[in-house]
């Protein structure tokens, strides 16, 4: 049995930053640290941070006065920001900078007098946060049919923004439908689309060409992980999404000689290793990595949790 690893796979820069924010907050503050919602969509990550002392809550009303409060990587609405500010909570914002960029773009479009169309999935935390960041008129669409049903004149000046866990490929048809229906549509440059989402989808397409079977490591509530599995299915090979090695069904391995192994942007490396070990319990395994994009982007940490300069550095 040969296992071929996708490249890139697992953590993106926004996820690494969010997790590090929680870890540093726990190290620096003697007070309890509260995180609103899952910091990222992976129960293993959440459980590990909880074991280190973080408390996860659904709403700010569950956070005691004065407690350090962290917003998740998915971002929050302005009403949540205002509530935290009104209570004087010390907030560390772990919103992915690429999500924050979408918020900024949407507000600019609104100030320019445009109706914003958000391409995304209803109920996703990022979408809820983005909708709550836009003060003007905004409509959510998920399909081409949703575009046709928009209660807007073709002369309405619109601008579209996109949920970051959707790629250029995911949104191409919807954007084309917006361009076809409206007289003056605008949107961000393709370079503004989340690099990590597109890179991982491209990697899975390449992986599917050399694999009999695709396994994606990621959470069931992770939008980008589910999309990776769907891409594998669309290419015609059996494709499965599992949390970790315990989710492996040995029956999937029958008749397969090459397994493609990918991971969503919130999946830690050790979970990928665990899946390889689980496969190894049933078949002898060799492992290689597919050629792919080397991701080097890093995002700065918020000032509140940046490493303190050492005494020697300060003197120098």
């Amino acid at each position: 049995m040969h296992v071929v690893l996708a490249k890139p796979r697992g953590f993106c820069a926004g996820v690494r930053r969010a997790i590090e924010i929680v870890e540093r907050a726990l190290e620096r503050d003697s007070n309890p640290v509260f995180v609103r919602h899952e910091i990222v969509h992976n129960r293993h990550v959440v459980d590990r941070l909880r074991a280190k002392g973080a408390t996860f809550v659904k709403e700010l009303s569950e956070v005691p006065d004065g407690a350090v409060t962290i917003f998740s990587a998915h971002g929050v609405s302005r009403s949540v920001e205002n509530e935290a500010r009104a209570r004087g909570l010390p907030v560390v914002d772990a919103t992915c900078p690429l999500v924050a960029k979408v918020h900024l773009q949407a507000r600019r479009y609104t100030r320019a007098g445009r109706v914003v169309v958000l391409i995304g999935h209803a109920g996703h935390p990022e979408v809820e946060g983005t909708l709550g960041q836009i003060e003007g008129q905004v409509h959510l669409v998920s399909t081409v049919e949703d575009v046709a049903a928009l209660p807007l004149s073709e002369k309405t000046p619109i601008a579209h923004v996109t949920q970051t866990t959707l790629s250029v490929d995911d949104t191409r048809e919807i954007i084309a439908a917006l361009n076809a229906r409206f007289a003056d549509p605008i949107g961000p440059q393709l370079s503004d689309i989340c690099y990590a989402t597109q890179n991982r989808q491209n990697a899975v397409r390449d992986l599917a060409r050399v694999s009999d079977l695709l396994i994606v490591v990621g959470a069931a509530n992770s939008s980008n992980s589910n999309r990776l599995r769907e891409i594998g299915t669309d290419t015609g090979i059996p494709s499965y999404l599992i949390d970790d090695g315990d989710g492996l069904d040995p029956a999937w391995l029958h008749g397969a000689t090459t397994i493609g192994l990918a991971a969503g942007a919130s999946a830690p490396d050790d979970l990928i290793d665990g899946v390889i070990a689980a496969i190894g319990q049933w078949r002898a395994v060799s492992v290689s990595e597919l050629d792919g994009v080397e991701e080097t982007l890093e995002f700065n940490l918020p000032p509140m949790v940046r490493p303190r300069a050492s005494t020697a550095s300060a003197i120098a």
Side-chain angles (χ1 to χ4, degrees):
M1 175 71 67
H2 185 56
V3 173
V4 183
L5 301 175
K7 183 180 180 180
R9 61 187 176 276
F11 284 172
C12 64
V15 166
R16 284 195 301 271
R17 175 180 180 270
I19 295 169
E20 187 174 358
I21 285 172
V22 179
E23 291 174 337
R24 288 188 178 276
L26 290 167
E27 292 169 0
R28 292 170 67 99
D29 209 297
S30 58
N31 295 319
V33 172
F34 286 77
V35 184
R36 183 184 181 274
H37 293 180
E38 292 185 341
I39 188 67
V40 296
H41 279 159
N42 190 281
R43 67 177 178 85
H44 291 277
V45 170
V46 171
D47 288 347
R48 291 168 190 179
L49 292 174
R50 185 181 286 116
K52 292 181 178 182
T55 299
F56 291 84
V57 297
K58 292 184 177 179
E59 302 299 339
L60 287 187
S61 58
E62 302 172 63
V63 178
D65 291 342
V68 173
T69 306
I70 299 176
F71 295 153
S72 80
H74 305 107
V76 299
S77 67
R78 284 197 161 184
S79 64
V80 172
E81 294 174 342
N82 292 338
E83 181 184 350
R85 190 176 299 113
R87 291 186 55 194
L89 294 173
V91 169
V92 187
D93 191 354
T95 300
C96 173
L98 296 180
V99 174
K101 187 175 184 179
V102 171
H103 294 173
L104 181 61
Q105 287 171 332
R107 291 197 293 268
R108 285 175 175 167
Y109 290 145
T110 297
R111 287 196 296 269
R114 290 185 175 271
V115 173
V116 174
V117 177
L118 171 59
I119 303 171
H121 298 144
H124 190 281
E126 181 188 329
V127 167
E128 292 179 348
T130 301
L131 289 171
Q133 286 283 337
I134 303 170
E135 295 180 349
Q137 189 178 167
V138 57
H139 297 269
L140 175 65
V141 298
S142 302
T143 64
V144 170
E145 290 73 24
D146 291 341
V147 173
L150 284 171
L152 300 171
S153 162
E154 65 180 22
K155 296 181 180 179
T156 304
I158 69 150
H160 72 266
V161 293
T162 303
Q163 177 182 336
T164 62
T165 50
L166 300 179
S167 71
V168 175
D169 296 333
D170 296 329
T171 60
R172 183 176 286 111
E173 289 186 357
I174 295 174
I175 293 172
L178 289 170
N179 291 340
R181 178 173 171 188
F182 294 98
D184 182 30
I186 63 172
Q189 299 297 314
L190 293 182
S191 59
D192 290 333
I193 299 293
C194 175
Y195 75 96
T197 298
Q198 189 67 56
N199 286 348
R200 279 154 187 72
Q201 292 189 8
N202 290 344
V204 164
R205 290 187 179 92
D206 291 341
L207 198 61
R209 296 188 184 100
V210 298
S211 305
D212 307 313
L213 167 73
L214 174 70
I215 295 175
V216 178
V217 184
N221 62 339
S222 166
S223 174
N224 74 88
S225 299
N226 276 285
R227 184 65 184 120
L228 296 181
R229 181 198 57 77
E230 290 169 1
I231 288 171
T233 299
D234 290 344
T235 66
I237 65 172
S239 303
Y240 304 95
L241 174 65
I242 60 176
D243 262 346
D244 50 35
D246 291 340
L248 179 73
D249 184 343
W252 300 340
L253 308 181
H254 293 316
T257 58
T258 303
I259 297 177
L261 185 56
S266 301
D269 286 343
D270 65 289
L271 299 186
I272 302 167
D273 295 338
V275 172
I276 295 172
I279 295 170
Q281 292 180 359
W282 298 95
R283 301 272 292 276
V285 175
S286 62
V287 181
S288 65
E289 182 180 62
L290 206 63
D291 288 338
V293 175
E294 187 74 41
E295 294 180 345
T296 58
L297 180 66
E298 295 183 3
F299 294 127
N300 290 331
L301 296 173
M304 188 173 172
V305 293
R306 286 177 189 164
R308 294 187 178 97
S310 66
T311 304
S313 299
I315 293 173

